[in-house]
Amino acid sequence: MTNSGFERSGGIDRRARAGAIVWVLVVQYFVFLFVVQGGWDTPYSWVRNAISDLGAANCAASGERWVCSPWHLIANVSWVIAGACLVAGALILAPTLPRNRLGRIGTGLAVATGAGLIVVGLNPEDTSARWHVIGAIVAIGGGIASLLCLSIAIGRTRDWPVIARFGVAIGAVAVAGLVLMVAGVGGPGQFGLWERVAAFPFLVWTILYGCDVLRVARRRSAAATQSGAGA
């Protein structure tokens, strides 16, 4: 699935395994989206409401939406943790990712994406709008670019494996979501939908990449155990 940096002495590098676990932990981002959404008294819509509405610190009207997120602190902490996982995972997994130019760019963008998400979590949309928007732009734009760069780079090193094809496919969907969001298609009533289409693919891909690394680790560990027993 990846390059030779994945292997050490016939097995899986422990560093790669640790990095994979860190990226898999990004799944908590999605878990807490549902948890925090459940705390709303007014209906929360994935089509209409922005993701950031979950982290708003105060109850107030925002355009045509009424935003009131009682558990906003949980959302913001979750985003900071997810961003830290993206940064740490990219740095730890760097030796397992393609080391060509596109792979290095993708890895760097993954770090930037995580940093952007941390900024988003530390700066709620209603208390520090400027930094929140900057963080969101970096997180969404950087995530899409990283997803495409890493997927293409991985495909070039190992005959276009499933994880690479999937990454390119959902990366294209994310680009479409970003274009629709920026263009304001559907008006404010569909902003949340396009934002999610643009923002979620990279996060999903990092979780699946981490799972794939762990899957390969288990398979090779089992093979090494059987080989040792046979000797």
Side-chain angles (χ1 to χ4, degrees):
M1 118 152 217
T2 52
N3 60 21
S4 59
F6 206 173
E7 303 179 19
R8 295 291 185 277
S9 302
I12 295 295
D13 185 11
R14 292 181 180 177
R15 174 173 177 171
R17 193 191 298 265
I21 293 172
V22 171
W23 264 9
V24 170
L25 289 176
V26 172
V27 74
Q28 61 82 30
Y29 171 96
F30 293 101
V31 172
F32 286 111
L33 287 184
F34 288 102
V35 171
V36 176
Q37 174 184 331
W40 280 49
D41 293 325
T42 55
Y44 180 88
S45 170
W46 277 39
V47 174
R48 182 181 65 256
N49 285 99
I51 302 171
S52 298
D53 289 350
L54 294 172
N58 303 294
C59 295
S62 178
E64 300 178 359
R65 310 186 309 275
W66 174 252
V67 176
C68 190
S69 186
W71 299 342
H72 61 271
L73 182 60
I74 296 175
N76 290 316
V77 171
S78 172
W79 297 340
V80 170
I81 292 174
C85 286
L86 289 176
V87 172
L91 294 176
I92 297 171
L93 284 168
T96 80
L97 295 167
R99 299 181 185 181
N100 53 35
R101 182 179 180 182
L102 201 58
R104 290 194 298 270
I105 291 174
T107 302
L109 286 169
V111 172
T113 300
L117 192 52
I118 291 172
V119 171
V120 166
L122 293 176
N123 297 274
E125 65 177 3
D126 60 334
T127 62
S128 186
R130 180 180 179 182
W131 282 105
H132 185 88
V133 170
I134 291 174
I137 291 172
V138 173
I140 296 177
I144 294 172
S146 176
L147 172 58
L148 291 172
C149 286
L150 288 176
S151 297
I152 294 171
I154 290 171
R156 289 177 177 176
T157 59
R158 281 299 177 92
D159 299 324
W160 209 247
V162 173
I163 194 70
R165 294 196 299 270
F166 177 72
V168 171
I170 63 172
V173 171
V175 170
L178 179 61
V179 170
L180 292 169
M181 181 180 71
V182 173
V185 174
Q190 287 191 312
F191 177 85
L193 173 62
W194 305 136
E195 182 188 28
R196 286 168 172 79
V197 172
F200 286 176
F202 176 66
L203 300 175
V204 170
W205 187 85
T206 57
I207 295 167
L208 294 179
Y209 183 88
C211 289
D212 206 12
V213 170
L214 294 176
R215 178 186 62 81
V216 174
R218 288 194 298 270
R219 186 183 68 195
R220 294 187 179 177
S221 294
T225 298
Q226 292 178 356
S227 178

